[in-house]
Amino acid sequence: MATQNIKSGQTKFSEDDVLRQIEQAVLDHRLAPGTKLKEVQLANLFGVKRGLIRKVLTRLAHSRLVDQTPNRGATVAKPSVKEGQDLFATRRVIESAILETLIGHAEEKHVQQLGRMLDREQKAYLRGDTEGALGLSVDFHRELARMAGNSVLEEYLNDIIRRTPLVILTHLGADEHNRCRNQEHEAIVDAIARRDVKTAKKVMHQHLLHIESKIKHKPEKPPADLAELLRPHSVGQPA
Amino acid sequence: MATQNIKSGQTKFSEDDVLRQIEQAVLDHRLAPGTKLKEVQLANLFGVKRGLIRKVLTRLAHSRLVDQTPNRGATVAKPSVKEGQDLFATRRVIESAILETLIGHAEEKHVQQLGRMLDREQKAYLRGDTEGALGLSVDFHRELARMAGNSVLEEYLNDIIRRTPLVILTHLGADEHNRCRNQEHEAIVDAIARRDVKTAKKVMHQHLLHIESKIKHKPEKPPADLAELLRPHSVGQPA
DNA sequence: GATAATTAAATTGTTAACAATATTTTATCA
DNA sequence: TGATAAAATATTGTTAACAATTTAATTATC
């Protein structure tokens, strides 16, 4: 994924590497909404030229993960409550369509694969690995999209998933987490196995509403400290 | 929109100007899929630096309107049949959700506004202005999305609308046009006025299926001539 | 000591020159 | 003539230096 730079001993990253690292940091709640993203700082951090960072920031802005203001640089996006609501509402539409499409051509192997994912998720949760369980829970939703086989629906779901953490962090406390309930995932897989579109959609709908209902205004938090972008689970400071 | 450059007499464009011009050219079927987009050529054409073109091309690639290959530059995207099908299938989902959302809070003024748009569209069609009618027809769908008030659904519909002409041009003849039928638009507005979600969705569904059903492989066309990017309705040549 | 103006520093934005790669043209030979 | 190789050209990619702008620090003024 990243080649070693012999001379300086510093790790070098490609453009896509940097992009994914930042996206992952957002997904992991390590980058707080509003965090200033300085070009030279990031360039040093990743051991790349500023021009590359510049390109990455533009791309991130395009997917609404960062806000760019002329002459004032980029910050991690702070979606409005409205945008958050729209995002969740659209997610219900997309996931519903994914289920309908998937059940339309679901095979036994799909159900089995989903079953394996449920197991892994459950195990991670039982051994107290909440971070891992959260990741696997996201993977579950992604896998449904992949299996449905509609690349555009998949693309849109991934877009929504990438943007969701910023909504959560901006409008919910970081504590009251949006962990998916494994038992709801189970119910969805059961419905898929039975080709029961109606139930699958209903459960998914409830499943998503449960998180959405929590969106509300959150008290401001004091700014934290900087540049541990790469250390897992430390939250950056808003600008 | 664009400021005059006194010195050279050439028109200068901002980054967003250039982006929109190219997007519009795609929308108007002036840029054929596969057309090579050379950086210096575009820079001269728009009277801007190459760096700006470079940024625009990256952004266009991000919305899948152009394909970028390392060291070999950018071409207007040539979506696969599969991508086209996925795009249309997703469009049905999105437009359906838009109707449901809109009808949920539609007011009299919305219906009136839509009625006015139908009139304009009809008039353009009757006086033989097919190009204008096509644009107004697209506007009709966009307006439904705007009225629904969900920014994400609107964003996704616009994304699909931008990408659709490339599917049409790649897999359909440029002749058999995808003009929306005004009478179907009328039926949709009627259903909205009656708050009849079911009918509205059904008509929209048929309306969209009608176009989708035409997707099939198209014989190759010989390459045409170049650089009339700005002259209305001339199709650029594939690379 | 607070506020405003000035200066200095930091940060972003732009450009032109150069490097790397791909494409076309020309030359060479069978 | 046709194929292959070499050279020339065109095109894309990268970089470092500079310009413009914003932000922070400093000084001046009341």
Side-chain angles (χ1 to χ4, degrees):
Chain A
M1 182 175 181
T3 60
Q4 200 71 18
N5 183 336
I6 312 286
K7 207 168 175 183
S8 70
Q10 200 178 18
T11 312
K12 259 194 197 168
F13 295 95
S14 79
E15 179 174 333
D16 284 347
D17 288 339
V18 174
L19 184 85
R20 270 173 295 196
Q21 292 252 358
I22 296 180
E23 282 180 353
Q24 191 60 44
V26 170
L27 208 57
D28 295 346
H29 292 206
R30 298 203 307 274
L31 266 179
T35 304
K36 184 87 208 293
L37 297 174
K38 296 182 191 174
E39 297 179 355
V40 286
Q41 186 182 27
L42 289 176
N44 294 338
L45 209 53
F46 288 107
V48 298
K49 300 294 178 193
R50 188 161 70 98
L52 191 146
I53 296 294
R54 207 148 227 283
K55 258 174 97 177
V56 169
L57 289 176
T58 306
R59 286 172 67 182
L60 288 167
H62 200 279
S63 27
R64 298 188 196 272
L65 257 40
V66 318
D67 288 336
Q68 273 182 318
T69 331
N71 293 322
R72 313 182 85 231
T75 58
V76 178
K78 265 177 120 157
S80 66
V81 173
K82 178 62 166 52
E83 185 180 335
Q85 289 167 340
D86 291 352
L87 226 32
F88 276 113
T90 305
R91 177 162 186 170
R92 288 200 300 278
V93 171
I94 300 287
E95 297 248 31
S96 184
I98 285 170
L99 285 177
E100 181 139 3
T101 308
L102 171 55
I103 293 179
H105 66 254
E107 296 171 21
E108 183 54 27
K109 61 173 182 181
H110 291 140
V111 177
Q112 285 174 0
Q113 164 67 3
L114 290 172
R116 281 194 294 274
M117 298 193 75
L118 286 186
D119 282 349
R120 249 178 294 166
E121 197 182 331
Q122 177 76 354
K123 275 176 189 145
Y125 181 69
L126 287 179
R127 71 166 174 273
D129 180 7
T130 30
E131 186 181 344
L134 196 95
L136 289 169
S137 154
V138 170
D139 288 346
F140 175 79
H141 286 268
R142 279 202 228 266
E143 183 65 14
L144 288 178
R146 203 189 56 77
M147 284 177 174
N150 182 320
S151 59
V152 180
L153 284 177
E154 188 180 356
E155 181 184 329
Y156 289 168
L157 178 67
N158 279 319
D159 178 54
I160 292 174
I161 287 177
R162 277 190 294 264
R163 290 160 71 175
T164 299
L166 297 180
V167 176
I168 306 275
L169 287 178
T170 307
H171 302 292
L172 270 60
D175 297 336
E176 33 182 334
H177 244 43
N178 63 327
R179 189 188 316 112
C180 290
R181 304 183 160 178
N182 190 272
Q183 108 199 44
E184 287 172 335
H185 283 185
E186 251 178 63
I188 291 168
V189 175
D190 282 350
I192 292 172
R194 295 194 317 271
R195 271 86 176 136
D196 183 349
V197 178
K198 202 170 174 183
T199 303
K201 281 188 175 185
K202 199 161 69 185
V203 176
M204 176 67 86
H205 196 267
Q206 283 306 316
H207 181 52
L208 295 172
L209 267 186
H210 188 255
I211 302 165
E212 181 180 3
S213 66
K214 289 192 190 168
I215 290 197
K216 59 180 179 250
H217 204 64
K218 181 197 71 159
E220 283 297 319
K221 281 218 309 189
D225 138 86
L226 180 62
E228 55 234 31
L229 195 68
L230 296 168
R231 189 150 53 245
H233 273 267
S234 58
V235 175
Q237 90 297 5
Chain B
M1 183 174 178
T3 60
Q4 201 70 19
N5 182 336
I6 313 285
K7 208 169 177 184
S8 71
Q10 198 178 20
T11 314
K12 259 197 199 167
F13 296 95
S14 79
E15 179 174 331
D16 284 347
D17 289 338
V18 174
L19 185 85
R20 270 172 295 197
Q21 293 251 357
I22 296 179
E23 282 181 353
Q24 191 60 45
V26 171
L27 208 58
D28 294 347
H29 293 206
R30 299 202 306 275
L31 266 179
T35 304
K36 184 85 208 294
L37 297 173
K38 296 183 191 173
E39 297 178 355
V40 286
Q41 185 183 27
L42 289 175
N44 294 337
L45 210 51
F46 288 107
V48 299
K49 299 293 177 193
R50 188 161 70 98
L52 191 145
I53 296 294
R54 207 147 227 284
K55 259 175 96 176
V56 169
L57 289 177
T58 305
R59 288 173 66 183
L60 288 168
H62 198 281
S63 26
R64 298 188 195 272
L65 256 41
V66 317
D67 288 336
Q68 272 182 320
T69 330
N71 294 320
R72 315 182 83 230
T75 59
V76 178
K78 263 177 121 157
S80 65
V81 173
K82 176 64 166 51
E83 184 179 335
Q85 289 167 340
D86 291 352
L87 226 31
F88 276 113
T90 305
R91 177 162 185 171
R92 288 200 300 275
V93 170
I94 299 288
E95 296 248 30
S96 184
I98 285 170
L99 284 177
E100 181 140 2
T101 309
L102 171 56
I103 292 179
H105 66 253
E107 296 171 21
E108 184 54 29
K109 61 173 179 180
H110 292 139
V111 177
Q112 285 174 0
Q113 165 67 4
L114 290 173
R116 280 193 294 274
M117 297 194 76
L118 287 187
D119 282 348
R120 250 178 295 165
E121 197 183 330
Q122 178 76 355
K123 274 175 190 146
Y125 180 69
L126 287 179
R127 74 167 172 272
D129 180 7
T130 31
E131 185 180 345
L134 196 94
L136 289 169
S137 155
V138 170
D139 287 347
F140 175 79
H141 287 267
R142 279 202 228 267
E143 183 64 15
L144 288 178
R146 203 189 58 76
M147 283 177 174
N150 182 320
S151 59
V152 180
L153 283 177
E154 189 181 355
E155 182 185 327
Y156 289 167
L157 179 68
N158 278 319
D159 177 55
I160 293 173
I161 287 177
R162 277 191 293 264
R163 291 159 70 177
T164 299
L166 296 181
V167 176
I168 306 274
L169 286 180
T170 307
H171 302 292
L172 270 61
D175 297 336
E176 31 183 336
H177 244 43
N178 64 327
R179 190 188 317 109
C180 290
R181 301 182 163 180
N182 191 271
Q183 109 198 45
E184 286 172 334
H185 284 185
E186 249 179 66
I188 291 169
V189 175
D190 282 351
I192 292 171
R194 296 195 317 273
R195 272 85 176 137
D196 182 349
V197 178
K198 204 169 171 183
T199 303
K201 282 188 175 186
K202 200 160 70 183
V203 176
M204 177 67 86
H205 197 267
Q206 283 307 316
H207 181 52
L208 296 172
L209 267 187
H210 189 256
I211 302 166
E212 181 180 4
S213 65
K214 288 192 193 168
I215 291 197
K216 58 179 179 251
H217 203 65
K218 183 196 71 158
E220 283 297 317
K221 281 217 311 187
D225 139 87
L226 181 60
E228 53 234 30
L229 197 66
L230 295 168
R231 189 149 53 245
H233 273 270
S234 60
V235 175
Q237 90 298 8

